[in-house]
Amino acid sequence: MSRHVVATSQEIPEGGRKLVMVRGRPIAIFNLKGAFFGLLNRCPHQGGPMCEGLVTGLREAPMPGEYVYSRAGEILRCPWHGWEFDIKTGQSYCDPERIRTRSYPVEVTAGTKLVEGPYVAETIPVSVEEEYLVVEM
Amino acid sequence: MNEVRSQAVAEAPAASKLLIADGDIHPAKAGAADFHPWLEKRWRDHMDEYGSPGRQGWQAGPAYPKSQPNASRRDAYPPEGGRPGSSLAFMQSQHLDANGVGLGILNPLGSGQGVQNPALSAALCHATNEWQLAEWTSKDSRLKASVVVPYEDAVASAAEIRRYADNPAFVQVLMLSRTAEPLGSRKYWPIYEAAAEVGMPVGVHAFGYGGNPVTPGGWPSYYIEEMTGHAQCQQAGLTSLIVEGVFEKWPALKMVMIEAGFAWAPSLAWRLDKHWKTLRSETPELSMAPSEYMRRQVWWTTQPMEEPEPRAHLEDCIGWMGWDRLIFATDYPHWDFDDPTQALPIRVSEEQRRAFFMGNARGVYRGCAG
Ligand code: FES
């Protein structure tokens, strides 16, 4: 396990996302109301690029004709066949027991902390004035 | 479940340098003007004034909303703009090169088939055929064209097929499954006669505008029912082709069922064979069991492939049909695209893999034996 600086927290606005590479692995990072979450950019179904999916909410119906909409902005639909995933956990909605996409914790860390190490800043120069997104892998 | 190949061990055809065939690629026009070079002014004016409504109720466009805009992968929009499938350069980099496609069959949709005005339908289909030559097959020799025919006018369709009889860029005839009458109806026979004569298979792609609901039980409410209904619709079409004697009359004719699944084929064959034994005298022109015509003259493109659990059931279905019956297809750039590195999650022999990904296609499409 090592910690990788992947972006400044400013780079991904609320509701936004960014594709980064960590140890050769493509990770899609999402900003949900100021909290950051990372998902492997490869859908567990057939490998669709998750970062290009639609971010939406959860539509449920406890009974036919009764609709409930919740969790706006927290659900990702794969850009290919539309499987739905919980951005926070990577869990799928078509088969939550068995199918989840790999999720990676993303931490927001002040530049002052980072210059103390240990971390791996592959492409991001770190300065003490800013805050950074750090993925542990 | 122990037959399932994990993503990690799945052997990518592209990686193993095995070129693949794709039996269902959808080139799109960027706009109506793309067809103008081959469309008389008369028809351009006609479309401006009256549109080009299909043979269906008061609606323009497809009967059901799609699950993704333009029914396309969200990552398939060309960087230079335009609809998914409208840029050859992007199709090359995102699909043909990336997935090692050595033979790609173009099936243009929204190309005048099913347009209610018969002469306009014929004019649009012809423009589509010329556009395929000018914009696609002449620029990338991996791509082969389909003769798009205005199938509700079978005589005009047959003329269109014969027009390209000697053009090697055209390798199949394209129809849609939702015709006004069942596919085997004598109304369509001139199409089959011409196709058999020039040696092209007839591909029947899901969708179309016959004016009938997609299910025999009426108009369903949801897109998922239309998606599933394609399988039912093609079963009705295939049953009609067999029972009306199309395969009996043209034993060299090949049919390719496109984008409607294939796992239904064994069950349809078993049911037909059962009834044929008891009702043989009703259609004495059938010289053999329905399943034998299917095994002799019908192929299926794979996408969207059934994904049963356990996957071994898929093997059972293909085992009954024969590994020589399936033609791999992606449906690029559409949203229900099947990825060639992931789409066959069962253990297969090298021989089966080669047949599935290339050999069967080479045998079916005209002049592609290579
Ligand atoms: S690849 Fe993501 S839903 Fe199929």
Side-chain angles (χ1 to χ4, degrees), chain B residues 174-188:
Chain B
L174 185 67
M175 295 179 74
L176 300 177
S177 59
R178 296 180 62 183
T179 41
E181 288 181 32
L183 275 175
S185 161
R186 279 171 197 244
K187 167 180 169 173
Y188 303 114

Side-chain angles (χ1 to χ4, degrees), chain B residues 13-94:
Chain B
S16 65
K17 295 284 178 277
L18 179 64
L19 288 182
I20 64 167
D22 183 347
D24 193 22
I25 295 179
H26 296 295
K29 48 187 189 292
D34 282 15
F35 283 180
H36 285 178
W38 306 283
L39 209 53
E40 285 170 45
K41 174 111 173 62
R42 172 207 164 178
W43 289 122
R44 304 199 315 246
D45 290 352
H46 181 99
M47 285 170 72
D48 286 344
E49 286 168 40
Y50 303 103
S52 53
R55 193 176 188 280
Q56 59 180 7
W58 296 107
Q59 58 192 27
Y64 293 87
K66 306 294 183 184
S67 84
Q68 311 265 33
N70 290 314
S72 292
R73 284 168 46 167
R74 284 178 188 268
D75 61 344
Y77 287 80
E80 68 266 38
R83 285 175 64 112
S86 63
S87 156
L88 174 61
F90 191 55
M91 179 189 286
Q92 287 167 331
S93 65
Q94 186 175 44

